[in-house]
Amino acid sequence: MDEIRGDETRSDRSGDPTGGATGGPADADGIRGAAAGTAAVPLSVLDLVTVGQGRTATQALRTSVEIAKLTESRGFHRFWVAEHHSMPGVASSSPAVILAHIAAHTERIRLGSGGVMLPNHAPLVIAEQFGTLEAMASGRVDLGLGRAPGTDGATAAALRRSDRLNEGADDFPQQLMELIRFLDDDFPDGHPYSRIHAVPGPVQATAPGGVQSPHRPPVWLLGSSGFSARLAGTLGLPFAFAHHFSAQNTIPALDLYRESFRPSAVLDAPYAAIGVSALAADDERAARREVLTGALSMVRLRTGRPGLIPSPEEAAAYDFSPMEREFVDGWLANVIHGTADEVRGGLDDLTKRTGADELMITANAHGGEARLRSYGLIADAYGLPTAP
C-alpha cells in the first residue's frame, strides 16, 4: 500500500487547500468553527443515542433528532455520532444511517462521525457511505475515524469476520490512505484500485456531462492515546481526543499532536477538539442524580454486564461495592456537572488547561428530557443565540 504523506491528504486536485468543504464564513475550511456567545471556543455535540430503561431505541433516536435541532438553533458547531456495538444502552451502531436521518431534520449544523471505527469496515464502503451523506447534506459532513473496535473482542471478530484484531489496528494507516484515495478518486495508474470509484464521488465530474459537488468530507482522526495523535499531526489533519473516558491522557496526547504537526493542504496549524462529559441541571443535586446513572452504566459495562441506562431511582438505590465506589468517584471526577454556571466554569477551566480548539459535549443520562435540558442550560449560560 502507498506510503502516507501529509500532502496526500489534499481533499481535491484543484489546488484548493480546503477541498471546497465550506459551511459558511464562520466555517471557512470545513473544520474550524467560530465561538458563539461568551464561549471561548466552538461548542459541539457528541451523541451516543443512549437508551434508558423503559425506553426504546426509537425514542432514543427521536431524542437525538431533538438534540440536533435544539443545538443547531442555539449555535452549536457540529453534531457527531459515535460507533458502538453490542451495547444495549447505546443505539449508535450505524453512524451513517443515523446521520442521514439527522440531516433530514437539520439545515446548518455540521454532521459527522465521532467516529467510524475504520478497521471494522472496508474503506470503499465508508467512502461510499460518506459520499452519499455529502450528497444529502452538501458542505456540512465530517468523517471522523478511529482504530479501536468500539466494542469487545468477540463482537469485533464478528464484525470483521476475523479474529486477527491487532492486525486490523496495525493496518490503520494503510486503511486510512486507501480511504482518502477513494474519497479523492486519485489512485495512481497501475494501482489495483485505479479503476474502482467511490460513488457518489469525484468520478461523476469526469463522466460526459458530469457535474460534481466541490465538497468532500474533511477527515478527522480520533484517539484516546498517542498513536492517532501522532498520525494526525504528521498528516496535518484535525484531531479529536476522547477526554470523556481517557482524561489522564488528554494533555500528553494533545502535546504530541501539536509537536508532531506538519502543515498540510488541509490545515496550516493544529486543530484539536476534545470530547467532554458534561451535564447541567436546575440544581446540583439533580445533576448528580442524572450523572450517577451513567456511572452505574459504566460500572456494569466494565464488569461485563452491559445493559440499558438505569433510572435515577435505581442508581440512587444501588449498593456500590468499595471497588465500584472507587471507580464511580474517579469516573465522576471527569464529568462536569452541576448548575449551568458550574458547568460553564468547568468547561472554561478545561479549555484553559488543555488549549482545546473546540469542545464536543456528551450528555449521558437516563432520559432524553434531562439531556435536552442540559444542552439548553449550557447554551443559556454562554449566551448563545436563541432560535430564530
Side-chain angles (χ1 to χ4, degrees):
M1 187 54 65
D2 303 21
E3 178 186 359
I4 298 181
R5 301 189 307 272
D7 59 356
E8 287 177 324
T9 60
R10 184 180 301 277
S11 51
D12 70 4
R13 288 167 286 175
S14 65
D16 174 8
T18 71
T22 55
D27 187 22
D29 59 8
I31 296 172
R32 301 175 181 88
T38 60
V41 297
L43 303 179
S44 294
V45 176
L46 175 62
D47 191 55
L48 305 186
V49 195
T50 50
V51 185
Q53 290 179 353
R55 312 277 175 126
T56 65
T58 299
Q59 291 171 311
L61 288 163
R62 287 174 179 164
T63 295
S64 293
V65 170
E66 292 305 310
I67 290 173
K69 291 166 64 176
L70 170 69
T71 52
E72 176 179 71
S73 72
R74 298 303 304 270
F76 283 66
H77 182 49
R78 66 181 98 236
F79 183 98
W80 278 8
V81 177
E83 177 184 345
H84 292 85
H85 299 278
S86 197
M87 298 179 188
V90 180
S92 56
S93 57
S94 302
V97 176
I98 296 169
L99 292 171
H101 184 55
I102 300 293
H105 292 275
T106 56
E107 297 179 355
R108 301 180 304 279
I109 196 167
R110 293 195 66 85
L111 304 173
S113 54
V116 162
M117 302 296 104
L118 185 55
N120 293 343
H121 311 277
L124 176 58
V125 171
I126 300 305
E128 291 174 334
Q129 289 178 352
F130 278 76
T132 301
L133 285 169
E134 181 59 52
M136 292 178 176
S138 184
R140 60 188 185 107
V141 175
D142 301 320
L143 175 50
L145 302 167
R147 70 185 188 108
T151 187
D152 60 89
T155 305
L159 283 165
R160 303 175 189 182
R161 305 293 293 174
S162 171
D163 58 2
R164 295 178 294 178
L165 302 183
N166 289 336
E167 181 178 293
D170 293 342
D171 287 346
F172 180 77
Q174 288 71 35
Q175 293 174 312
L176 172 63
M177 189 64 255
E178 185 177 307
L179 172 57
I180 288 173
R181 287 206 177 277
F182 275 126
L183 288 170
D184 291 335
D185 197 46
D186 68 350
F187 283 100
D189 292 341
H191 191 282
Y193 297 161
S194 61
R195 295 181 178 273
I196 300 174
H197 311 286
V199 177
V203 68
Q204 291 167 314
T206 66
V211 177
Q212 176 64 23
S213 168
H215 305 293
R216 192 270 257 169
V219 170
W220 288 66
L221 295 192
L222 280 60
S224 57
S225 63
F227 181 93
S228 291
R230 185 186 298 278
L231 183 59
T234 300
L235 298 179
L237 293 175
F239 177 59
F241 186 81
H243 173 82
H244 55 298
F245 65 79
S246 188
Q248 71 277 11
N249 293 325
T250 301
I251 292 177
L254 294 183
D255 286 345
L256 181 59
Y257 169 60
R258 293 165 184 143
E259 292 165 3
S260 304
F261 188 84
R262 295 191 303 177
S264 71
V266 177
L267 284 174
D268 59 4
Y271 190 87
I274 60 173
V276 52
S277 289
L279 190 134
D282 293 316
D283 59 67
E284 188 175 352
R285 183 178 179 182
R288 177 78 180 189
R289 278 172 54 84
E290 294 294 345
V291 297
L292 191 60
T293 67
L296 176 55
S297 180
M298 286 303 302
V299 167
R300 290 171 171 169
L301 177 64
R302 294 292 177 90
T303 54
R305 300 172 290 151
L308 301 175
I309 307 299
S311 69
E313 293 75 20
E314 180 182 1
Y318 184 84
D319 185 18
F320 291 95
S321 70
M323 184 176 296
E324 289 174 337
R325 173 58 63 186
E326 182 179 359
F327 172 85
V328 167
D329 290 344
W331 180 263
L332 292 181
N334 292 311
V335 179
I336 300 172
H337 60 284
T339 65
D341 286 344
E342 289 171 331
V343 170
R344 181 187 62 191
L347 293 175
D348 288 345
D349 178 67
L350 181 63
T351 302
K352 292 176 183 177
R353 287 192 291 111
T354 63
D357 299 297
E358 183 174 333
L359 299 181
M360 303 201 70
I361 300 170
T362 181
N364 293 327
H366 169 264
E369 300 86 353
R371 296 165 64 210
L372 282 162
R373 178 66 174 158
S374 175
Y375 285 113
L377 287 171
I378 292 171
D380 290 342
Y382 280 111
L384 300 190
T386 56

